[in-house]
């Protein structure tokens, strides 16, 4: 190959890799689809109408529009203000680095350059695998099926070092089960990607403003169903099928457009932290809904948000449970106030406040606490009183098990906040959070495919991570994530071959 097109050089990451005696597993590589080849598969599954649906879904995936259907870039500043049109991303993919652009589109080139990147195995997230979620109900399932079939065929010959995820729709549990079984049993795919939530209409508003007559109200008046709590559907059959088939779940669920992330002018304002917020809502729903209690074998990778939020939530789950478990919450029950003692203390110390007025013992508690002391129509009981009831939390160790065992947190290579995952002094019970190395190559935050592993090693040299933390980050935690869901996940791969010749295991 022409040297100008394919420069042969030892990258910084190759130098880092040379000193390691264990494999490197990249849990998050984004690749592009060559549109004509993909559309051949889509055509097979649904003809020209499905191809058109794919193009519309791709064109509208990030776009927000006004009532006339014009996206942000077609509107004037005044129109954006009037419609509160969310600023969408732009220039989101690598282009100036043309070699990398081709690498993310050509599977043979990606497989060849994996050594240059410093990875032994990569899990691929084709950018188009997320597109069908933007399609209508009629097209969502066939689009998922066509796109998954295309990716399974495209990367099959590189299965020893590359595997693409299967996109799974979850508007209903049954829909998810059908596509999961097709992806795993028919196509042989072994990792799935889901949206962390589904937008649904608010029933009371949908009845008052039917979608056909009020499409704008229907578009804006909705809520997010995070599956695990407050859902109109029982998703347990889907989680059970995932565990039965031995499939790790991943998500890149974001929160752009949510309150606090809805700037009409600044993409970065909307972007920073949005993956962490979106995944946090999804993960908390599964925890508080008892999903991780009922399905302890479920393994979920929450990608692109970093691992520090996983430590943050773990710490606060413990803090809050200690203050508001079903016994401790009685500290705040108005019924347990000693009204005689309260009155005597007012008599002794409160003359400046009471100004000689006689104390009314019947209203003294209310007068002291304000409106928060007013009685409810009835007192909460059972699970209403204990927010941790469905999660089955009886002791701090249960929180550690049902949060830290189930969830793995994708951190990008240069993310210094990953240090929080390994901070055993701050994390309750001296625990470490499952940070997994997620390079995110293929997106705008990685302009050079060869840099991420070296950037993560820079954190060791800067004292953010220890060498042991680094090993857990790029190998140990990713290996456990996949093999705890499926012990045979790496059978026949470069990871298995490297481990078989190494004196150091997982």
């Amino acid at each position: 190959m022409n040297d100008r097109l394919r420069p042969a050089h030892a990258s910084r990451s190759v130098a880092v890799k040379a000193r390691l005696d264990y494999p490197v597993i990249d849990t998050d590589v984004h690749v592009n689809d060559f549109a004509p080849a993909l559309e051949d598969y889509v055509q097979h599954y649904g003809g020209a109408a499905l191809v058109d649906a794919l193009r519309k879904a791709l064109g509208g995936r990030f776009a927000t529009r006004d009532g006339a259907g014009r996206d942000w870039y077609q509107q004037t500043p005044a129109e954006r203000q009037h419609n509160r049109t969310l600023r969408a991303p732009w220039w989101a993919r690598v282009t100036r680095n043309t070699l990398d652009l081709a690498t993310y589109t050509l599977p043979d080139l990606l497989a060849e350059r994996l050594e240059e990147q410093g990875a032994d195995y990569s899990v691929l997230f084709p950018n188009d695998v997320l597109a069908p979620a933007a399609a209508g109900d009629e097209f969502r399932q066939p689009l998922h099926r066509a796109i998954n079939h295309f990716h399974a065929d495209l990367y099959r010959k590189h299965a020893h070092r590359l595997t693409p995820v299967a996109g799974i729709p979850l508007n209903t549990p049954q829909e998810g089960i059908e596509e999961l079984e097709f992806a795993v049993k028919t196509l042989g795919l072994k990792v799935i990607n889901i949206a962390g939530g589904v937008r649904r209409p608010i029933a009371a508003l949908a009845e008052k403003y039917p979608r056909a007559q009020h499409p704008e109200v229907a578009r804006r008046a909705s809520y997010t169903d995070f599956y695990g709590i407050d859902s109109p559907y029982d998703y347990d059959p889907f989680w059970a099928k995932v565990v039965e088939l031995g499939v790790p779940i991943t998500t890149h669920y974001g929160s752009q457009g949510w309150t606090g992330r809805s700037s009409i002018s600044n993409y970065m304002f909307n972007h920073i932290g949005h993956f962490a917020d979106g995944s946090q809502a999804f993960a908390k729903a599964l925890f508080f809904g008892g999903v991780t209690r009922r399905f302890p074998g479920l393994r979920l990778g929450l990608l692109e948000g970093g691992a520090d939020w996983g430590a943050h939530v773990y710490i606060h789950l413990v803090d809050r449970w200690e203050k508001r478990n079903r016994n401790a919450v009685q500290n705040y029950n108005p019924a347990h106030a000693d009204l005689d003692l309260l009155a005597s203390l007012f008599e002794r110390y409160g003359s400046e406040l009471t100004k000689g007025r006689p104390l009314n013992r019947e209203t003294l508690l209310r007068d002291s606490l304000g409106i928060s002391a007013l009685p409810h129509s009835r007192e909460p009981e059972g699970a209403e009183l204990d927010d941790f009831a469905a999660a089955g939390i009886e002791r701090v160790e249960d929180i550690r098990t049902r949060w830290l065992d189930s969830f793995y947190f994708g951190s990008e290579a240069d993310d210094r906040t990953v240090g929080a995952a390994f901070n055993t002094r701050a994390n309750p019970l001296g625990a470490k959070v499952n940070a997994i190395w997620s390079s995110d190559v293929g997106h705008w935050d990685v302009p050079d495919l060869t840099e991420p592993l070296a950037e993560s090693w820079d954190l060791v040299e800067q004292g953010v991570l220890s060498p042991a933390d680094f090993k857990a980050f790029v190998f140990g935690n990713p290996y456990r994530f996949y093999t705890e869901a499926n012990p045979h996940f790496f059978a026949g791969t470069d990871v298995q071959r490297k481990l078989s010749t190494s004196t150091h295991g997982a």
Side-chain angles (χ1 to χ4, degrees):
M1 181 179 288
N2 186 302
D3 284 347
R4 185 179 69 82
L5 297 178
R6 181 69 176 89
H9 68 279
S11 67
R12 287 205 311 140
S13 292
V14 168
V16 169
K17 186 69 159 50
R19 72 180 71 179
L20 308 180
D21 62 353
Y22 47 84
V24 172
I25 301 168
D26 192 342
T27 67
D28 189 16
V29 170
H30 290 272
V31 290
N32 303 321
D33 290 328
F34 184 61
L38 173 60
E39 289 183 357
D40 286 344
Y41 277 73
V42 175
Q43 176 84 24
H44 172 76
Y45 274 87
L50 196 60
V51 172
D52 186 54
L54 173 66
R55 293 174 178 174
K56 289 180 178 178
L58 290 173
R61 182 175 154 209
F62 294 113
T64 51
R65 305 178 185 279
D66 64 7
R70 296 174 302 169
D71 70 22
W72 189 93
Y73 294 93
Q74 294 171 310
Q75 297 173 44
T76 66
E79 289 171 331
R80 295 167 191 158
Q81 184 71 249
H82 182 72
N83 291 284
R84 300 304 302 172
T85 309
L86 186 73
R87 177 70 193 271
W90 79 103
W91 296 348
R93 308 282 161 74
V94 174
T95 53
R96 174 177 284 179
N97 187 333
T98 308
L99 174 59
D100 280 5
L101 169 61
T103 300
Y104 303 137
T105 311
L106 302 170
D108 290 353
L109 181 56
L110 176 60
E112 179 183 297
R113 295 193 69 204
L114 212 61
E115 183 176 352
E116 188 178 341
Q117 185 203 3
D120 293 277
Y121 191 86
S122 293
V123 176
L124 311 179
F125 291 83
N127 289 306
D128 292 344
V129 81
L130 303 172
D137 292 345
E138 177 186 356
F139 301 112
R140 188 172 54 250
Q141 282 191 270
L143 272 181
H144 273 99
R145 190 158 293 195
I147 292 174
N148 290 338
H149 196 166
F150 171 66
H151 294 144
D153 287 353
L154 186 65
Y155 292 99
R156 186 170 288 113
K157 71 175 181 177
H158 297 297
H160 61 295
R161 56 176 49 184
L162 303 172
T163 191
V165 301
I168 304 297
L170 268 186
N171 284 55
T172 68
Q174 186 58 37
E175 177 184 69
I177 291 170
E178 291 172 5
E179 296 314 306
L180 175 65
E181 290 190 318
F182 178 78
V184 175
K185 294 181 178 180
T186 302
L187 300 179
L189 296 172
K190 54 186 183 179
V191 185
I192 64 171
N193 187 78
I194 65 171
V198 173
R199 300 292 294 179
R200 301 197 193 279
I202 298 171
L205 292 176
E207 292 170 1
K208 188 173 183 179
Y209 303 100
R211 184 182 186 89
Q213 288 79 38
H214 305 277
E216 277 297 297
V217 174
R219 183 171 67 86
R220 294 178 183 269
S222 62
Y223 73 98
T224 302
D225 176 5
F226 298 111
Y227 314 122
I229 192 170
D230 305 329
S231 176
Y233 294 94
D234 177 9
Y235 278 89
D236 275 10
F238 176 76
W239 310 127
K241 181 61 67 173
V242 167
V243 173
E244 174 193 328
L245 296 178
V247 183
I249 299 174
T250 61
T251 187
H252 293 72
Y253 192 59
S255 58
Q256 291 192 61
W258 293 10
T259 301
R261 299 190 182 281
S262 55
S263 169
I264 64 172
S265 64
N266 194 295
Y267 166 48
M268 281 291 98
F269 177 90
N270 296 330
H271 182 273
I272 293 173
H274 86 103
F275 279 119
D277 282 356
S279 286
Q280 181 182 138
F282 168 59
K284 286 191 300 187
L286 299 193
F287 174 85
F288 281 110
V291 174
T292 58
R293 174 181 62 82
R294 294 190 297 277
F295 302 97
L298 207 60
R299 292 296 176 267
L300 302 108
L302 309 159
L303 303 177
E304 293 200 28
D308 61 319
W309 74 264
H312 167 88
V313 174
Y314 171 54
I315 290 168
H316 286 292
L317 286 173
V318 171
D319 291 346
R320 282 153 176 74
W321 179 79
E322 289 177 338
K323 297 297 194 298
R324 295 192 66 86
N325 63 64
R326 64 174 175 269
N327 296 317
V329 75
Q330 292 298 328
N331 288 322
Y332 323 114
N333 185 345
H336 296 317
D338 185 334
L339 297 183
D340 289 336
L341 175 60
L342 184 63
S344 67
L345 292 171
F346 260 86
E347 290 169 354
R348 183 173 181 180
Y349 296 102
S351 59
E352 290 186 11
L353 291 174
T354 60
K355 300 185 183 305
R357 289 188 292 262
L359 292 176
N360 184 338
R361 295 190 177 219
E362 293 182 2
T363 65
L364 183 57
L365 181 64
R366 183 198 66 192
D367 293 341
S368 298
L369 294 179
I371 195 170
S372 61
L374 292 175
H376 296 287
S377 57
R378 65 174 177 80
E379 294 301 315
E381 57 187 26
E384 294 175 332
L385 194 65
D386 182 4
D387 283 333
F388 294 85
I393 306 303
E394 299 293 336
R395 54 186 189 146
V396 171
E397 287 80 1
D398 294 334
I399 298 176
R400 178 180 61 189
T401 297
R402 288 160 197 167
W403 184 261
L404 295 185
D405 286 4
S406 299
F407 298 119
Y408 287 72
F409 302 88
S411 292
E412 295 175 16
D414 59 351
D415 184 354
R416 297 174 58 85
T417 68
V418 72
F422 299 96
N423 187 350
T424 55
R425 291 177 297 174
N427 296 331
L429 303 177
K432 294 183 180 181
V433 172
N434 296 319
I436 54 177
W437 192 61
S438 306
S439 72
D440 205 38
V441 294
H443 282 173
W444 57 259
D445 47 336
V446 188
D448 185 343
L449 170 148
T450 70
E451 274 293 293
L453 187 65
E455 289 179 328
S456 292
W457 185 257
D458 289 342
L459 301 181
V460 176
E461 296 183 338
Q462 295 162 10
V464 177
L465 299 178
S466 71
D469 296 337
F470 179 84
K471 179 179 179 180
F473 185 35
V474 305
F475 167 57
N477 290 347
Y479 186 84
R480 285 192 299 106
F481 171 55
Y482 298 116
T483 58
E484 285 179 353
N486 174 9
H488 307 292
F489 187 92
F490 289 108
T493 69
D494 287 3
V495 171
Q496 182 191 50
R497 280 189 281 275
K498 187 157 187 175
L499 288 176
S500 68
T501 61
S502 172
T503 58
H504 298 270

